[in-house]
Amino acid sequence: MILEVGNLDGLVVLIFLVMLGPPALLLLTGIILILKKKKTAGKVFCILAGVYLLVSLGICGAMLGGY
């Protein structure tokens, strides 16, 4: 019995949401904290957003690229 995989567009969209969603939320939170005069916490959130984006582009990009 051969299993066929149908349309995988939903999986690709889910991978992109996991890849770009959390960094966007972390960056937005960081900007809001910076504007509310909590600069240290805001900078931490912005740095976390950058690190998450870098790691997720590497891991999810490798999954999408087929490596």
Side-chain angles (χ1 to χ4, degrees), residues 2-32:
I2 297 174
L3 296 174
E4 283 187 326
V5 178
N7 190 1
L8 295 177
D9 289 341
L11 184 62
V12 173
V13 169
L14 182 66
I15 289 173
F16 275 110
L17 283 176
V18 168
M19 185 169 50
L20 300 175
L25 290 175
L26 286 171
L27 183 65
L28 182 65
T29 305
I31 291 172
I32 290 171

